[in-house]
Amino acid sequence: MKPIGPLMWEHRLIEEMVPLMKNEIDRIGKNRIANVPFIGITVDFFRTYADRTHHGKEEDIFFLELSKKKLSGKHKKIMDELVEEHLLARKTVKKLVEARDNYMKGEGFHLEIIKDSLVELVNLYPNHIRKEDKEFFFPVLEYFTKAEQEAMLLKFREFDRHMIHEKYEGVISELGGRVPRRWATIKE
Ligand SMILES: [Fe+2]
Ligand SMILES: [Fe+2]
């Protein structure tokens, strides 16, 4: 299997969030009320799955390995744009969280910011995914030997293996608990 395989499967799941967010945008427009639990789930999906798990493999493994190659100007430009778009997505999710928190305090005008943030994510992700799938992943694979591709795939698996633990260590930390040291040692 090529290392872009898992990245493209993950794109298929991220795409499924788009119509769900569109429904929420429509509901906010009609009812002038936000579905706070839905926003919470959306934020967790983008932070844990789309950003940490998916962009994490792209930036910390795939793009990092690519940056060691002599990329064409065109490929370098696209990779820079993709990283910029990851940053923009992160900023938008942060804006969504802050708007949700303020909205829950009863500050009604933050409803518009919730809606705008969802619209930004709905506009950003399909284009970002299309760019990676159609313009970037296949051509840049040519920079790697078969052995390098296989090594990357192994790194992806290792990266993913840590995610569920990282997620719930984060939950314990957020709740004020202490992540056991023994576990931290095993991770290294
Ligand atoms: Fe990406
Ligand atoms: Fe991606």
Side-chain angles (χ1 to χ4, degrees):
M1 192 206 309
K2 295 179 193 310
I4 58 173
L7 296 178
M8 291 174 81
W9 299 336
E10 289 167 9
H11 284 169
R12 304 291 77 80
L13 193 67
I14 295 167
E15 278 171 345
E16 289 299 314
M17 267 314 281
V18 173
L20 299 172
M21 288 192 291
K22 281 184 179 167
N23 287 344
E24 175 61 9
I25 293 164
D26 289 346
R27 277 195 302 261
I28 291 175
K30 266 190 225 129
N31 306 335
R32 308 305 301 158
I33 188 167
N35 181 341
V36 172
F38 174 84
I39 305 295
I41 293 167
T42 303
V43 166
D44 182 58
F45 180 85
F46 278 104
R47 285 192 162 163
T48 307
Y49 188 76
D51 196 38
R52 188 71 190 103
T53 307
H54 179 72
H55 298 162
K57 285 201 289 301
E58 289 178 345
E59 289 185 8
D60 298 352
I61 301 171
F62 195 60
F63 296 178
L64 181 72
E65 294 301 327
L66 265 178
S67 67
K68 296 174 190 168
K69 304 286 181 184
K70 199 160 172 24
L71 297 186
S72 72
K74 183 186 169 194
H75 293 148
K76 172 83 177 73
K77 181 175 170 280
I78 299 180
M79 191 164 80
D80 290 345
E81 284 170 13
L82 294 170
V83 171
E84 271 303 307
E85 287 164 11
H86 291 175
L87 280 172
L88 180 61
R90 242 163 251 152
K91 260 169 60 183
T92 309
V93 171
K94 188 166 184 274
K95 189 165 80 169
L96 178 61
V97 173
E98 286 167 0
R100 189 268 322 259
D101 291 348
N102 288 323
Y103 175 76
M104 283 169 70
K105 286 179 204 152
E107 296 170 23
F109 68 95
H110 283 94
L111 185 65
E112 278 311 308
I113 305 175
I114 290 177
K115 188 161 157 258
D116 291 348
S117 307
L118 291 171
V119 169
E120 282 169 40
L121 291 170
V122 159
N123 290 335
L124 177 70
Y125 267 94
N127 283 328
H128 180 78
I129 286 173
R130 186 199 46 75
K131 200 187 285 184
E132 288 179 340
D133 283 358
K134 307 278 185 216
E135 295 174 34
F136 193 66
F137 283 173
F138 283 101
V140 298
L141 214 50
E142 303 287 318
Y143 291 103
F144 298 109
T145 63
K146 204 163 170 356
E148 286 171 329
Q149 292 187 29
E150 278 163 15
M152 254 192 298
L153 200 54
L154 284 178
K155 282 188 185 170
F156 280 4
R157 291 201 178 123
E158 193 58 17
F159 188 94
D160 281 348
R161 206 166 64 78
H162 290 306
M163 280 303 123
I164 192 79
H165 304 290
E166 185 180 299
K167 160 78 183 165
Y168 287 99
E169 285 165 7
V171 168
I172 292 298
S173 289
E174 238 174 74
L175 293 173
R178 187 180 57 86
V179 177
R181 195 174 166 72
R182 183 176 58 84
W183 182 242
T185 313
I186 291 168
K187 263 182 73 182
E188 286 156 14

